[in-house]
Amino acid sequence: MAATDNHAAFGGKPLAPVILLSLGHGATHYTWGTILILVPFIKQALDLTYTQAGLIVAVFHVTGFFANFMTGLVVDVSGRRMLFMVLSALLCGATTFSLGLSSALFLICVAAGFMAIGVQGWHPPAFAYLAEEYEEAKGLVFSIHVVAANIGEALAFQIGGLLVTLLGSWQLAAMAGGTPGLVMGLILLIFMLPKERSAGSGQMQGMGLKDYLEGYVQLLKNMSAMMVCLVSALRTMAQNGLMVFVPLYLIDVLGVTAALTGTAMLLMQVTGGFATPVGGYTADRYGPRPVLFVCISITSAAIVAATFVTDPTSYISCIALVGFVLFAIRPVLQRWIVDLVPNEFRGSATSVMFSMQAAANAITPIIGGWIADSYGMLPVFYFLAVIMLTANLVTVVLPKRNPANID
């Protein structure tokens, strides 16, 4: 009976692909979480400035910008979505391991760039595949997929922090961080890629390059879709800033341990994981605009409020609240963008969204690092609050009707 209910909830489609792809998504975000939790320790080991530490994350996002664009193109033209998900997971594992072999800032930045190709290269094929295969249950499927990413990052924060504490080496922690990507890449290679090769239709159907480029121009002219992408970019810009500077603030200013820092980031991800289906459900019921407006407003206020807290436990509680409302927005925007474009361009629409996010994210650690070096850490969080307020202003002019309800 339970299996039948599950199949009904997923539009009568099998659950195994959802589970495997969600685990794969979690593995790629484990890579992202690993580099974030290790940045403070890399900074200390190499005696870097905040700006130099921010440069590592900036390189990740600049590379991710181009990776998203190219992946969207080759996925929609070739139709080989599963193949690129396999390559993405394997690249995440291999490059995270190689990060541990790097001992100079330049080599660390190179490793971060290749990590970005793996992490960001997952999104266009994965969201396009899930939207097509689970047309009647996109909101539910996207929520599960996003929760897996939260779990992957949360585990990376906690495990990475513990490994640094126990082993006394950020490099060994980085090497261990390559395991999930390699394992999930091999699982997808064995169990999912053969099904794509034998399908002969569906995901395997691509389009000509000329048709793709003509359609891509129309996609970029779709103002509603571009506005949703802009809100998503601003939201992720603030999220990335928090992920980079909260660990630095906890370790350098509040003086907490590596393990407790990992726990703080874990709680942020856990609360975000609970919020993800809540955001998806309320958006389906009340529309995305009010959900975005409320969540963005609470996020802005909570970020500012946290700057007045000096007790580590209370600060971590504030950060957990920020994680809840901030991550609730993510599936709402992802669902919205695929509903605004033709089916054959869902991969490219996703790539545009994540490319805009990557471009915005590349700016955050550099500006934030300069602010921290020049004026201290607290003004960095005021800067992030302003970003969220700007996102709220854009939300006001987003389409009033939920595209999911338009026939």
Side-chain angles (χ1 to χ4, degrees):
M1 181 66 179
T4 303
D5 291 341
N6 285 338
H7 280 273
F10 288 87
K13 296 296 183 72
L15 306 184
V18 177
I19 295 171
L20 287 177
L21 295 192
S22 295
L23 290 173
H25 194 208
T28 64
H29 277 258
Y30 192 96
T31 290
W32 170 229
T34 296
I35 194 171
L36 282 178
I37 195 62
L38 294 183
V39 163
F41 307 107
I42 295 172
K43 173 183 176 294
Q44 291 180 348
L46 301 185
D47 194 25
L48 305 177
T49 66
Y50 284 111
T51 304
Q52 289 173 319
L55 177 64
I56 299 171
V57 182
V59 169
F60 180 97
H61 288 297
V62 169
T63 310
F65 171 83
F66 294 103
N68 269 302
F69 174 78
M70 294 305 301
T71 305
L73 188 155
V74 296
V75 164
D76 283 340
V77 171
S78 70
R80 298 299 303 273
R81 293 168 184 172
M82 192 58 62
L83 172 62
F84 288 100
M85 282 185 270
V86 170
L87 294 175
S88 172
L90 291 175
L91 185 60
C92 281
T95 54
T96 306
F97 181 87
S98 71
L99 175 66
L101 302 176
S102 307
S103 57
L105 179 60
F106 174 77
L107 294 176
I108 291 171
C109 287
V110 171
F114 279 100
M115 292 166 75
I117 296 174
V119 175
Q120 299 296 345
W122 175 273
H123 298 127
F127 282 99
Y129 177 95
L130 293 172
E132 180 177 311
E133 292 296 314
Y134 299 89
E135 184 68 39
E136 303 302 319
K138 290 196 298 291
L140 177 60
V141 170
F142 282 10
S143 294
I144 295 172
H145 199 64
V146 170
V147 167
N150 284 73
I151 294 173
E153 291 179 15
L155 290 174
F157 294 146
Q158 187 68 79
I159 295 173
L162 287 174
L163 287 177
V164 172
T165 301
L166 294 173
L167 303 176
S169 169
W170 68 265
Q171 292 172 308
L172 292 176
M175 292 179 186
T179 304
L182 293 173
V183 170
M184 284 311 304
L186 291 174
I187 290 175
L188 294 175
L189 176 67
I190 295 170
F191 293 103
M192 295 298 294
L193 186 58
K195 295 180 180 180
E196 180 183 66
R197 288 174 175 172
S198 62
S201 61
Q203 305 98 282
M204 292 292 293
Q205 292 179 347
M207 69 180 79
L209 181 59
K210 180 180 179 182
D211 292 336
Y212 174 84
L213 293 176
E214 291 176 352
Y216 199 87
V217 171
Q218 294 303 313
L219 170 64
L220 297 179
K221 291 181 180 179
N222 185 334
M223 291 306 299
S224 295
M226 292 302 101
M227 293 292 280
V228 171
C229 289
L230 178 58
V231 173
S232 182
L234 291 169
R235 184 208 72 86
T236 313
M237 190 176 181
Q239 175 188 308
N240 179 52
L242 290 171
M243 292 297 183
V244 173
F245 290 102
V246 165
L248 290 169
Y249 181 75
L250 287 170
I251 292 173
D252 290 349
V253 179
L254 298 187
V256 304
T257 64
L260 185 56
T261 299
T263 300
M265 303 305 289
L266 169 67
L267 287 175
M268 190 173 179
Q269 293 290 332
V270 169
T271 56
F274 283 112
T276 296
V278 174
Y281 172 77
T282 53
D284 286 340
R285 185 166 183 177
Y286 302 107
R289 293 176 80 249
V291 176
L292 293 177
F293 187 85
V294 171
C295 288
I296 291 173
S297 298
I298 295 175
T299 301
S300 302
I303 290 173
V304 173
T307 63
F308 295 96
V309 178
T310 56
D311 175 65
T313 302
S314 299
Y315 183 85
I316 290 171
S317 298
C318 289
I319 291 302
L321 172 63
V322 172
F324 184 88
V325 290
L326 191 59
F327 284 101
I329 306 171
R330 189 158 58 177
V332 179
L333 292 166
Q334 291 166 347
R335 167 64 190 263
W336 209 353
I337 190 65
V338 299
D339 282 331
L340 283 168
V341 300
N343 291 352
E344 63 270 21
F345 278 93
R346 283 171 166 171
S348 293
T350 305
S351 77
V352 171
M353 171 178 279
F354 281 93
S355 290
M356 289 180 66
Q357 290 177 181
N361 286 344
I363 301 171
T364 312
I366 297 298
I367 296 178
W370 174 79
I371 293 173
D373 286 331
S374 302
Y375 305 103
M377 288 293 291
L378 290 182
V380 175
F381 297 103
Y382 300 138
F383 165 65
L384 299 178
V386 170
I387 291 173
M388 291 304 292
L389 288 174
T390 304
N392 234 358
L393 294 177
V394 179
T395 301
V396 173
V397 298
L398 282 171
K400 294 184 178 181
R401 297 181 65 190
N402 185 351
N405 297 330
I406 299 175
D407 297 327

